[in-house]
């Protein structure tokens, strides 16, 4: 069998560690959040997103739930982000006590053709003995640098060892439209 088949999970019934397995794709239309309440049994998850909104000054954030998505934890997150824009501006955003984990910030997604897109890896969500955390990367239209391209790259954590069985992404103002897909990464 060619090695390429193994890389792309085409082994058919043979163990294939690292394979992306789609859990769910959701489409939002002027929604306040996208909630994923079925996480499978994976240790590592990947969420991809391509979203627009109705605000010229918006951030994208993520939270965890420990009750299946009935509510989402709204305090005690930590995050650290590096942000840059097309005009050469760079800054660090960080917090040790935040109401959510920042994914991107200072985006203009209200103008036609503007969006925020990216990916978020989540780790240890279902493991009650470890902290749940993420790493993320997003690109978007910047609201400060004449609507040039901007990026965020960073990480977030909820520093309490407990299982989290749902997660969401949401804008801090306005609504979002577009799609988000959640994948599990096979370990065996």
């Amino acid at each position: 069998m060619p090695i390429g088949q193994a890389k792309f999970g085409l082994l058919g019934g043979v163990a294939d560690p690292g394979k992306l397995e789609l859990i769910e794709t959701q489409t939002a239309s002027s929604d306040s959040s996208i909630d994923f309440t079925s996480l499978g049994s994976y240790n590592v998850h990947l969420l991809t997103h391509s979203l627009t909104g109705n605000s010229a000054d918006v951030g994208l954030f993520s939270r965890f739930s420990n009750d299946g998505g009935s509510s989402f934890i709204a305090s005690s997150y930590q995050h650290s982000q590096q942000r840059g824009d097309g005009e050469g501006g760079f800054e660090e955003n960080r917090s040790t006590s935040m109401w959510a984990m920042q994914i991107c910030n200072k985006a203009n997604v209200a103008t036609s053709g503007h969006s925020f897109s990216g990916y978020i890896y989540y780790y240890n969500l279902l493991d009650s003995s470890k902290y749940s955390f993420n790493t993320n990367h997003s690109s978007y239209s910047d609201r400060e640098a004449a609507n040039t391209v901007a990026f965020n790259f960073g990480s977030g954590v909820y520093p309490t060892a407990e299982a989290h069985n749902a997660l969401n992404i949401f804008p801090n103002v306005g609504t979002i439209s577009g799609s988000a897909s959640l994948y599990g990464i096979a370990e065996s």
Side-chain angles (χ1 to χ4, degrees):
M1 167 181 328
I3 291 177
Q5 287 181 323
K7 286 184 179 178
F8 292 101
L10 303 175
L11 298 177
V14 177
D16 193 8
K19 178 182 174 186
L20 290 179
E21 298 177 344
L22 179 64
I23 297 172
E24 181 179 13
T25 296
Q26 292 194 35
T27 301
S29 180
S30 298
D31 293 327
S32 60
S33 70
I34 299 175
D35 301 346
F36 290 94
T37 58
S38 176
L39 303 182
S41 59
Y42 303 94
N43 186 47
V44 179
H45 295 80
L46 170 66
L47 188 148
T48 60
H49 59 87
S50 181
L51 304 166
T52 62
N54 62 356
S55 176
D57 184 8
V58 63
L60 187 66
F61 295 84
S62 182
R63 287 181 174 153
F64 299 137
S65 172
N66 56 16
D67 62 9
S70 294
S71 64
F72 289 88
I73 300 164
S75 66
S76 302
Y77 293 96
Q78 299 177 10
H79 73 90
S80 180
Q81 301 279 322
Q82 183 67 45
R83 181 183 179 282
D85 64 56
E87 291 187 345
F90 289 91
E91 67 184 78
E92 182 179 295
N93 298 307
R94 63 185 183 272
S95 175
T96 58
S97 181
M98 183 80 169
W99 43 268
M101 294 170 291
Q102 181 176 310
I103 305 304
C104 72
N105 194 21
K106 300 180 183 177
N108 174 0
V109 294
T111 304
S112 178
H114 291 201
S115 66
F116 33 61
S117 299
Y119 60 87
I120 309 163
Y121 280 96
Y122 293 97
Y123 305 92
N124 306 323
L125 295 179
L126 302 171
D127 190 335
S128 62
S129 68
K130 296 180 181 176
Y131 293 174
S132 295
F133 65 98
N134 77 48
T135 58
N136 57 78
H137 183 228
S138 294
S139 62
Y140 51 94
S141 301
D142 185 46
R143 70 156 167 96
E144 292 184 330
N147 293 317
T148 61
V149 67
F151 75 89
N152 266 58
F153 179 79
S155 184
V157 65
Y158 184 71
T160 299
E162 65 181 22
H164 297 112
N165 51 16
L167 62 91
N168 72 0
I169 57 173
F170 62 95
N172 61 325
V173 295
T175 61
I176 51 176
S177 297
S179 65
S181 295
L182 182 66
Y183 300 85
I185 299 181
E187 293 185 11
S188 59

